[in-house]
Amino acid sequence: MMQTVLSLETSCDETAVAVVRRDGEKFQVLANFIASQAEEHAQWGGVVPEIASRRHLESMPLLLEKAIEKSGINFSDLDAVASTVTPGLTGALLVGSITARTLACLHNVPFLAIHHLEGHLSSVLLSDNCPKQPYLVLLVSGGHTELVKVDKGMSFQRLGRSHDDAAGEAFDKVARLLGLSYPGGPAIQAIGKLGNPLRFTFPRGRVSKPSGGYYPYDFSFSGLKTSVMRKVDSINKSSKKLPVNDLAASFELAVADVLVERSLKCAIDHDLSSLVIVGGVAANSRLRELMQKKASENLVNICFAPKKFCTDNAAMIGAAALSRLKNGNIFSSIDLGVSGRFPLDQAKLLYGQDIPF
Ligand code: KG4
Ligand code: ZN
């Protein structure tokens, strides 16, 4: 059966609209447009929520027009209009969610609310070599670092998480320390390519159990950030020139190392032969190279989400919506609002009549 959705994503600083189709097991992105506000937020060193909401409002009409035109669909062809409703900046989420609900009402098609993390998890469905479920997903974005087991029928089980900063957040904070622009990930990657990753040894943070030992699949990045800060301070005090390239490369390697080590251990311990990597940080080439190498040594099959669907986009929201539709003829209440936070393992509540928010 073929199904088509129009999907909207406005949870942070990218306004995104896509049209995605599923024909059997095959997903096809008919249109995918993104208006990034990153440059405007860069001058503030991070996302300013009020500015984000305003820009979403301004960009949305043109993106919708372009997506409908490019895809060649009519509203009558749609099986649902989907939008991210949680987690994220509430003012920003409202723009996408109200637009989607309005379009759904106007054109008499179902509205489907999507959890942003389910969107990231579903981005791998847009890859040509997506493994069969069950598999383990390493989700590494600006707000989350999690290891999630994905079973058939969109059931998720979190097996690991960061206890402090997310990996992407660490990239953004360290970039700031090194005087680089926001978002930090691409900036660190660009100059890290020119540096020596073995020049500085930064800590590979672990999370202690109160009963002794460590949580084997959990992450901590705040100590790493502090360690880079101390190094930068001491070099600055000595009036030597800051070796920004080497610092960036060494930091990047420390992050990649822990992500690779813990996710492979988690996959192997749980007898999962496939590991999927999604989210903004999954675009990182040092992580990709190291993961590829260590996974093949350990006979774990890996699959990265396509690079253009790693950072926030609406095609992944469409893929999540199509998977939900495949698993049942469901829809969300038009009265469902948005929420800054909501656990992923409760995502099925977004499709009930008792609305959670
Ligand atoms: O998934 P995403 O677009 O948004 C969230 O849902 O958070 O992730 C954004 C994060 C930012 O922290 C950004 O610095 C990081 O992903 N990022 C990268 C790269 N591209 C984006 N980190 C490392 N290397 C990259 N190439
Ligand atoms: Zn995201």
Side-chain angles (χ1 to χ4, degrees):
M1 185 178 51
M2 191 171 83
Q3 291 193 304
T4 311
V5 298
L6 169 69
S7 51
L8 277 53
E9 154 64 42
T10 60
S11 68
C12 191
D13 60 346
E14 329 272 359
T15 318
V17 179
V19 178
V20 188
R21 176 167 284 169
R22 184 180 65 79
D23 193 354
E25 294 303 305
K26 205 173 147 28
F27 287 78
Q28 195 188 352
V29 179
L30 302 183
N32 182 47
F33 289 95
I34 302 180
S36 175
Q37 313 165 1
E39 257 175 49
E40 184 170 2
H41 294 289
Q43 58 183 309
W44 307 102
V47 179
V48 183
E50 177 61 25
I51 296 179
S53 313
R54 283 166 189 263
R55 296 296 168 262
H56 287 314
L57 263 180
E58 288 164 8
S59 309
M60 187 54 82
L62 183 61
L63 291 188
L64 272 171
E65 217 171 281
K66 288 197 331 192
I68 298 294
E69 191 189 316
K70 172 90 196 295
S71 65
I73 55 129
N74 294 310
F75 277 93
S76 56
D77 301 329
L78 291 175
D79 292 281
V81 181
S83 86
T84 310
V85 295
T86 188
L89 304 168
T90 46
L93 286 165
L94 268 176
V95 178
S97 146
I98 292 178
T99 309
R101 283 182 280 164
T102 307
L103 288 171
C105 285
L106 265 177
H107 298 284
N108 208 16
V109 285
F111 164 62
L112 224 54
I114 300 294
H115 192 291
H116 183 75
L117 297 189
E118 187 171 313
H120 276 298
L121 295 181
S122 305
S123 63
V124 72
L125 301 171
L126 304 172
S127 146
D128 291 334
N129 62 338
C130 178
K132 287 225 175 327
Q133 293 150 349
Y135 48 69
L136 181 69
V137 184
L138 168 65
L139 191 165
V140 264
S141 69
H144 296 83
T145 300
E146 306 200 346
L147 284 164
V148 183
K149 182 181 171 192
V150 177
D151 273 304
K152 286 203 181 69
M154 306 297 269
S155 88
F156 310 115
Q157 186 191 358
R158 190 170 73 181
L159 300 173
R161 66 184 173 99
S162 173
H163 285 242
D164 40 57
D165 293 349
E169 197 178 349
F171 268 96
D172 295 335
K173 288 178 175 169
V174 166
R176 223 169 148 167
L177 281 173
L178 299 179
L180 303 171
S181 60
Y182 171 86
I188 288 192
Q189 170 167 320
I191 64 153
K193 281 206 170 81
L194 312 170
N196 172 7
L198 304 176
R199 165 107 180 254
F200 301 103
T201 308
F202 290 123
R204 274 56 171 166
R206 291 207 159 274
V207 184
S208 308
K209 281 184 182 170
S211 54
Y214 299 103
Y215 290 106
Y217 321 122
D218 285 2
F219 305 92
S220 165
F221 292 108
S222 67
L224 169 60
K225 174 196 65 197
T226 311
S227 173
V228 177
M229 187 171 76
R230 293 223 176 91
K231 187 50 89 187
V232 168
D233 280 349
S234 83
I235 298 173
N236 279 340
K237 279 200 189 99
S238 71
S239 310
K240 289 201 190 104
K241 188 170 175 291
L242 206 60
V244 183
N245 299 353
D246 294 344
L247 285 163
S250 305
F251 160 78
E252 221 182 5
L253 180 61
V255 177
D257 242 3
V258 287
L259 293 176
V260 169
E261 183 253 324
R262 261 152 252 179
S263 26
L264 287 177
K265 178 168 174 47
C266 186
I268 293 164
D269 289 355
H270 290 83
D271 248 347
L272 294 164
S273 57
S274 295
L275 171 65
V276 160
I277 303 107
V278 303
V281 182
N284 186 267
S285 10
R286 200 178 296 275
L287 172 65
R288 284 181 173 242
E289 278 161 30
L290 192 66
M291 191 67 95
Q292 205 92 47
K293 180 166 171 278
K294 297 285 179 187
S296 65
E297 283 169 19
N298 287 282
L299 303 178
V300 172
N301 164 41
I302 58 165
C303 177
F304 284 91
K307 259 190 194 163
K308 65 175 171 186
F309 302 130
C310 282
T311 45
D312 286 350
N313 65 88
M316 68 185 194
I317 303 302
L322 287 164
S323 300
R324 284 281 172 191
L325 288 176
K326 184 184 170 196
N327 291 317
N329 189 15
I330 53 157
F331 54 88
S332 302
S333 163
I334 218 76
D335 295 326
L336 183 70
V338 298
S339 174
R341 293 172 71 105
F342 194 68
L344 174 65
D345 57 11
Q346 308 275 303
K348 63 176 181 306
L349 299 181
L350 302 178
Y351 311 101
Q353 281 313 301
D354 283 335
I355 52 176
F357 47 76

